[in-house]
């Protein structure tokens, strides 16, 4: 969304220490925002412009940093319970998602990559300035095979491939079940038609689903290549949910550009990601991030969490491009854990590297959507001339204490997205 020249507003942050999203050196000075862009980062005072209204925010030496991003959210899934998703109307589900979008923004997340869910309408309302929320990169429905991670139909229901009705997850646009290359092609094209900026495909078992142990490999080589071909023809890429070694390798061979999760990989497989320049979109999972009502799914969750430390260590050792995300789902009361999980990156990286990942690093992954990138007109995740005006004023220095990010209500003094001040408690 852009702002017309008649309504452009100037905002000046005075006396701030600027973390630009990349450099460890904090620039002390002023930052000028004009409309929806950053137009100056100056070590000299920025002056007024005659005839223009300027809002001046005295930073008092606080740190100004780029808005953060989350590379793996489920906006409607994060905002709704299982009962909401099963029994709620589409409007109910969407409104809860819209409310959670505002909450994410106030936590300092000015861009998110949504990895399953019908969010294109929410994105449109936010982009038009009707409601507050982050920039959204939608995947629309994630694509699963029958009995795969995204098949939430009950055992007694006949799959659509065999003449049955769509499951509830398909009806609300959260999942799409497809079998065989032609159905996969059609399913990918369906999500692109609905506004997807990238495609999400399930390639292995998961904790939340009922029928697929973690060792399972999902979709054949031909099916995965069909997904990649359809996405590539639209100038974008495929990201795959997968934990196990065989599934990761199959996905990479098919041309997938982002591995989502990967917690059960071995070191040679992680090294292969670096060699092939494939992204690893990881989440610093720990026990308690998710809760499951049965022993089987709880056991899968425990197994996934055991791999977190090893995979981060191997990814650093081999120079893999790593993105950060949360993947919180179906427990709205845990949604604020997004901030805690951002601070948890400090258990695996230096504060500088963690902040880079949360800002400019994630943004680099988002940009893989190419012509499908809805915000390609300017950079984000950085504070530099010409970038989108998405910035946070932190009461403290996150380069010294990353845990400041765990309590955004207290420590984020100002939140600006697209040049609009959405929070200011100074």
């Amino acid at each position: 969304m852009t702002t017309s020249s008649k309504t452009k507003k100037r905002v000046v942050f005075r006396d701030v220490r600027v973390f630009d999203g990349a450099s460890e050196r904090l620039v002390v000075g002023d930052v000028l925002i004009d409309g929806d862009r950053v137009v100056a980062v100056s070590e000299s005072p920025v002056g007024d412009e005659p005839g223009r209204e300027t809002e001046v925010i005295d930073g008092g030496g606080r740190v100004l940093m780029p808005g953060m991003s989350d590379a793996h959210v489920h906006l409607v899934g994060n905002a709704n319970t299982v009962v909401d998703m099963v029994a709620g109307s589409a409007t109910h589900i969407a409104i809860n998602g819209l409310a959670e979008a505002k909450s994410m923004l106030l936590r300092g997340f000015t861009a998110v990559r949504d990895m399953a869910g019908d969010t294109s309408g929410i994105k449109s309302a936010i982009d038009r300035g009707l409601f507050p929320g982050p920039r959204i990169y939608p995947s629309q429905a994630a694509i699963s095979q029958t009995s795969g991670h995204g098949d939430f139909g009950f055992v007694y229901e006949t799959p659509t491939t065999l003449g049955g009705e769509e499951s509830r997850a398909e009806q609300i646009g959260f999942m799409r079940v497809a079998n065989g290359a032609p159905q996969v092609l059609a399913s990918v094209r369906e999500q692109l038609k609905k506004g997807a900026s990238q495609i999400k495909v399930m390639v292995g078992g998961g904790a939340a689903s009922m029928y697929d142990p973690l060792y399972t490999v999902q979709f054949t080589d031909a099916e995965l290549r069909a997904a990649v071909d359809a996405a590539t023809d639209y100038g974008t890429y495929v990201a795959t949910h997968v934990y196990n070694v065989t599934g990761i390798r199959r996905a990479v061979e098919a041309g997938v550009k982002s591995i989502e999760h990967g917690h059960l990989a071995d070191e040679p497989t992680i090294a292969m990601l670096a060699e092939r320049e494939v992204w690893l979109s990881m989440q610093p999972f720990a026990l308690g991030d998710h809760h499951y009502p049965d022993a089987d799914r709880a056991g899968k969750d425990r197994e996934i969490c055991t791999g977190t430390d090893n995979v981060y260590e191997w990814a650093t050792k081999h120079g893999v491009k790593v993105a950060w995300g949360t993947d919180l789902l179906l427990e709205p009361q845990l949604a604020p854990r997004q901030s805690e999980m951002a601070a948890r990156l400090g258990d695996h990286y230096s504060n500088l590297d963690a902040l880079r990942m949360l800002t400019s690093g994630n943004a680099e992954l988002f940009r893989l959507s190419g012509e499908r990138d809805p915000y390609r007109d300017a950079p984000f995740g950085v504070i530099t001339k010409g970038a989108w005006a998405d910035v946070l004023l932190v009461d403290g220095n996150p380069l010294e204490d990353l845990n400041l990010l765990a309590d955004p209500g207290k420590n984020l003094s100002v939140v600006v997205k697209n040049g609009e001040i959405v929070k200011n408690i100074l």
Side-chain angles (χ1 to χ4, degrees), residues 121-163:
I122 296 173
K123 173 190 177 298
S124 175
I126 292 171
D127 286 351
R128 285 182 288 148
L130 301 179
F131 297 95
R135 303 178 190 276
I136 298 175
Y137 283 74
S139 300
Q140 291 301 106
I143 300 168
S144 169
Q145 67 175 39
T146 297
S147 196
H149 179 55
D151 181 359
F152 288 95
F154 294 110
V155 163
Y156 54 79
E157 294 178 314
T158 303
T160 53
T161 301
L162 301 177

Side-chain angles (χ1 to χ4, degrees), residues 155-345:
V155 163
Y156 54 79
E157 294 178 314
T158 303
T160 53
T161 301
L162 301 177
E165 300 295 323
E166 291 182 343
S167 69
R168 174 63 174 169
E170 291 185 274
Q171 291 171 4
I172 62 175
F174 197 64
M175 297 291 167
R176 172 59 72 204
V177 175
N179 296 280
Q183 283 196 0
V184 171
L185 281 172
S187 297
V188 170
R189 290 166 179 163
E190 177 190 30
Q191 309 322 311
L192 293 167
K193 178 181 179 180
K194 292 182 176 181
S197 54
Q198 65 283 320
I199 297 299
K200 167 83 173 298
V201 176
M202 309 300 197
V203 184
S209 43
M210 296 177 284
Y211 315 121
D212 53 331
L214 294 176
Y215 67 81
T216 60
V217 185
Q218 298 168 19
F219 284 122
T220 64
D221 294 341
E223 289 170 318
L224 286 177
R225 289 196 179 97
V228 169
D229 287 347
T232 300
D233 284 348
Y234 262 68
T236 188
Y237 69 100
V238 173
T240 52
H241 161 104
V242 60
Y243 292 104
N244 63 61
V245 167
T246 304
I248 293 171
R249 289 181 173 272
R250 181 179 291 184
V252 171
E253 290 298 330
V256 163
K257 297 299 183 185
S258 176
I259 298 298
E260 307 297 312
H261 315 313
H263 292 67
L264 301 182
D266 57 17
E267 185 173 358
T269 301
I270 295 299
M272 178 196 66
L273 297 183
E275 294 166 5
R276 301 290 187 92
E277 298 185 336
V278 175
W279 280 82
L280 176 64
S281 175
M282 269 282 283
Q283 304 77 36
F285 286 149
L287 288 176
D289 289 339
H290 303 91
H291 301 92
Y292 297 101
D294 57 84
D296 179 59
R297 283 181 283 180
K300 291 194 285 185
D301 181 53
R302 284 194 298 273
E303 184 177 353
I304 289 165
C305 290
T306 63
T308 300
D309 291 343
N310 286 337
V311 172
Y312 273 126
E313 179 182 346
W314 295 331
T316 299
K317 176 180 176 181
H318 294 284
V320 178
K321 288 186 174 182
V322 181
W324 170 88
T326 51
D327 194 30
L328 297 169
L329 189 65
L330 300 177
E331 296 180 275
Q333 73 277 12
L334 294 183
R337 188 163 291 192
Q338 183 181 36
S339 300
E340 176 191 325
M341 292 177 73
R344 201 184 293 167
L345 268 180

